Amino acid sequence: MATIPAVMRAARYFGPREFRVVEVSRPDPGPAESLVRVRAAGLCHSDLHIIFDELGGYPIPTPLTLGHEIAGDVVAVGDAVDPSLIGQRVAVFGPAGCGQCRYCREGRDHLCIASRPLGLARDGGYADYVVVPAHALVPVPNGVSDAEAAVATDAVLTPFHALTRVGQLRPGETVAIIGVGGLGLNAVQIAKALGAFVIAVDVVPAKLELAKQYGADRVVDSRQLDPAHPPVDRPITLVADFVGAEATKLLAQQLVARGGRVVMVGLATPGGTMLGLRLIADEVAVLGSFWGTRQELATVLDLIARGLIRPQVETHPLDEIGQWVERLRAGEVTSRVALVP
Ligand code: NAD
Ligand code: ZN
Ligand code: ZN
């Protein structure tokens, strides 16, 4: 690794509100790991929940390089890894399952009991280089840009898993997507591609406008939405909440039709009110959804390559990450930002 610099930049979390770009030693891959030159790393609202200490005590080690939506080039591998991977363009499967436990064997590697997700439990991709377990590397098909590949790993994968595997969305169903930001805008596209009637709900008019451009059949400002008078006269059989605020969790439970499903993705509030009687008497299922599987990541990369999902992503230099954290927090980012080191 003589030609690879020994020092690099990394945007690191040191504790609540302590997040900045610093110089660190470039890490070396272990025997079953690879070294990836980061080409793009997407900025997720979960990073903000970490930085601003909004995860209700979920343990985040410090210091930690954040960034869990990563794409780049393999530049070195450990002794136990196929050297032909060097030079490959890859997307990183963030949950990085162990491949051995019950969940990994069942194809639910996103729930792996031994997983140490990148950017959450081990150093992530807001850096020049990142060490990635070799089994977390997924090839990027031609025609998919580095920035698209980066956001595919979460901003596309998470809504894909939430709608297809957890939500079991069927063609012709009516689905409400609450929160059409980084994840939700892709959820709109995925639901349309699956043949659903899509209602997009947000509080920012520009985001609702974008949702309309990406195929939403109806757009609604949640501040003007009275759940007693749903915006359509057909049953909303699936509601996916990509915000997770107290208000949106309630709205989701109120909007959903008898016998329907609510899928919870957003993490804005750790707790929230459960409308027990509504859920029981109307047999509403409330389902949690976490990230997605490695196999699903390969699928969404293929869907992007075929133009069936077009993730909206704008790129900015890694050194500007502090500014983009503030702008995402202020609701000023209309799609997804990816940082380029
Ligand atoms: P984002 O900031 O890009 O989008 C959030 C959207 O919600 C914005 O468009 C915002 O205007 C809208 N919004 C805020 N309050 C609202 C309200 N009261 N009613 C309607 N809309 C409202 O965030 P993101 O990166 O898309 O992430 C969304 C959430 O999903 C975050 O909480 C994030 O932590 C979480 N997340 C969960 C998983 C998972 O695996 N479950 C994965 C990634 C992200
Ligand atoms: Zn995320
Ligand atoms: Zn496992």
Side-chain angles (χ1 to χ4, degrees), residues 10-11 26-27 33 40 58 133 140 187 204 207 216 254 259 286 316 318 333:
R26 190 252 311 139
E33 294 174 330
Y58 183 89
V140 177
V204 178
K207 303 205 187 200
Q254 291 164 330
V286 177
H316 298 283
L318 174 64
V333 174

Side-chain angles (χ1 to χ4, degrees), residues 68 88 94 102 140 162 171 175 201 215 223 232 244 291 325:
H68 55 266
Q88 269 216 24
R102 173 165 76 86
V140 177
V175 56
V201 182
R223 294 165 300 185
V232 289
W291 222 329
V325 164

Side-chain angles (χ1 to χ4, degrees), residues 97-106 108-109 111-115:
C98 71
Q100 326 266 304
C101 74
R102 173 165 76 86
Y103 293 101
C104 285
R105 289 198 315 266
E106 285 174 356
R108 296 197 292 165
D109 44 6
L111 299 179
C112 172
I113 49 171
S115 161

Side-chain angles (χ1 to χ4, degrees), residues 228-288:
H229 301 283
V232 289
D233 54 11
R234 43 167 86 209
I236 304 172
T237 47
L238 178 64
V239 180
D241 179 6
F242 291 94
V243 183
E246 174 74 29
T248 57
K249 284 179 184 166
L250 272 179
L251 179 64
Q253 295 174 66
Q254 291 164 330
L255 269 185
V256 72
R258 277 172 76 87
R261 295 98 66 212
V262 170
V263 179
M264 296 196 344
V265 182
L267 296 160
T269 339
T273 304
M274 191 172 260
L275 301 179
L277 189 60
R278 168 89 233 273
L279 305 187
I280 295 165
D282 286 348
E283 205 166 272
V284 167
V286 177
L287 305 155

